[in-house]
Amino acid sequence: MQPPIRNALSVDVEDWFQVGAFEKVIQRADWDRLPVRVERNGDAVLALFDKAGVKGTFFTLGWVADRFPALIRRIAEAGHEVASHGWDHQRVFTMNAATFRADLRRSRQAIEDAAGVGITGYRAPSFSIDQRTPWAHPVLAEEGYTYSSSVAPIAHDHYGWREAPRFAFRPLPDSPLIELPVTTVEVGGRRAAAGGGGFFRLLPYRFSAWAVRRVNLREGRPAVFYFHPWEIDPGQPRMAEAPLKSRLRHYTNLAKMEPKLLKLLHSFAWGRTDAVVASERERMQ
């Protein structure tokens, strides 16, 4: 009997006020004046992973690493992968190649200084590498990244590259760079997001479990799952000024998220994203 497929477990390390849903009501200039909960929540995620006996990848904002280097060092020392989530959660399609390169370099310096290890992985804020950013993968390759997990191959009101492959692919013909998209499932000719985040928190657990099982068993591929530290923090501040849709997406089921996550972590095999990328790279050879 073959061992179960190991899926990619990842955390996008950002604070509650840095999410795309609040970007029109919270200015970046105000971030340092808001209650910061990312260190507390990051440690809670570390405790959750330790309880479940799993290792994962923490895609970290440079802004967070610059202010809370001890948290990033604890993540690395616990055996988890530390990777980049950019500097301050600016979507890639709002930049150009030059500003993207500068963002990568600034965030990498802060993250590597904090972690004490080199980083090779990147995830774009809000999965914002798509058909509008043909320069993004070349810049990542030139900057020495070996993989990206920045594409959501779906149609969504905030992001999405519907035409992208659903599983690991080489975006550049002359580079070993691997793109590892977040998980989707196809049913009846329609594609649905199934890789975590708000979809996992808002939808019934059985949908996510079914999706991971389907990807593993029917398609024989690893799932790519993510969530945020603020999603296990029901005590975070409430933004009454945010649009109703944004508030519903952000605050619904926060109190249920941690036990739901623990159930998922116990039900499937999980590991660091770089390890999953290595196995997918072997598949391509």
Side-chain angles (χ1 to χ4, degrees):
M1 183 176 180
Q2 289 188 335
I5 290 177
R6 189 165 299 276
N7 303 290
L9 176 63
S10 58
V11 186
D12 291 357
V13 183
E14 59 202 54
D15 218 327
W16 64 272
F17 50 79
Q18 295 172 315
V19 301
F22 293 161
E23 63 187 0
K24 293 184 179 179
V25 293
I26 300 177
Q27 302 301 313
R28 280 176 171 79
D30 294 329
W31 284 0
D32 281 316
R33 294 191 285 270
L34 294 170
V36 176
R37 300 177 69 86
V38 70
E39 186 168 31
R40 167 199 178 277
N41 294 335
D43 282 331
V45 173
L46 286 174
L48 177 68
F49 283 6
D50 186 59
K51 184 176 182 179
V54 297
K55 301 298 182 186
T57 296
F58 288 70
F59 291 99
T60 303
L61 290 182
W63 188 98
V64 172
D66 184 58
R67 287 159 176 79
F68 303 99
L71 169 64
I72 310 308
R73 182 62 65 95
R74 289 194 293 274
I75 292 169
E77 290 177 346
H80 303 289
E81 181 190 10
V82 178
S84 176
H85 198 35
W87 176 256
D88 63 353
H89 215 260
Q90 183 177 351
R91 289 182 173 91
V92 176
F93 56 67
T94 67
M95 307 184 209
N96 58 35
T99 54
F100 180 53
R101 191 185 303 276
D103 184 272
L104 287 175
R105 291 181 177 180
R106 185 184 185 190
S107 54
R108 184 176 210 157
Q109 184 70 57
I111 295 166
E112 291 186 341
D113 285 351
V117 296
I119 61 173
T120 62
Y122 173 79
R123 172 170 288 156
S126 300
F127 299 101
S128 52
I129 288 181
D130 59 24
Q131 66 274 18
R132 292 168 287 185
T133 60
W135 37 263
H137 284 123
V139 171
L140 283 168
E142 290 163 9
E143 291 299 311
Y145 286 88
T146 62
Y147 80 86
S148 163
S149 183
S150 303
V151 168
I154 59 168
H156 187 275
D157 58 345
H158 280 189
Y159 55 80
W161 186 359
R162 178 63 175 79
E163 298 76 24
R166 291 179 53 231
F167 298 111
F169 66 97
R170 294 185 187 276
L172 305 171
D174 57 350
S175 169
L177 179 75
I178 299 292
E179 175 62 48
L180 187 71
V182 67
T183 289
T184 58
V185 290
E186 287 190 338
V187 182
R190 302 191 67 176
R191 186 175 293 184
F199 298 102
F200 178 73
R201 185 163 39 84
L202 295 169
L203 296 175
Y205 172 83
R206 61 181 178 273
F207 169 76
S208 294
W210 167 82
V212 174
R213 192 172 297 111
R214 180 185 179 93
V215 168
N216 286 175
L217 299 182
R218 179 173 293 192
E219 301 186 85
R221 304 301 288 270
V224 179
F225 182 88
Y226 79 102
F227 68 100
H228 308 88
W230 57 262
E231 290 188 277
I232 61 170
D233 180 16
Q236 65 188 269
R238 268 24 184 196
M239 283 300 300
E241 302 90 344
L244 176 61
K245 186 177 182 180
S246 295
R247 283 183 280 131
L248 288 173
R249 281 178 170 174
H250 189 89
Y251 295 119
T252 299
N253 292 337
L254 292 177
K256 298 179 180 179
M257 184 67 165
E258 187 167 344
K260 194 175 181 181
L261 274 169
L262 196 58
K263 184 177 181 181
L264 190 78
L265 297 184
H266 283 308
S267 298
F268 299 93
W270 300 97
R272 293 167 38 140
T273 307
D274 57 355
V276 172
V277 168
S279 65
E280 291 294 280
R281 192 184 302 276
E282 288 182 5
R283 178 193 294 270
M284 296 177 183
Q285 292 176 350

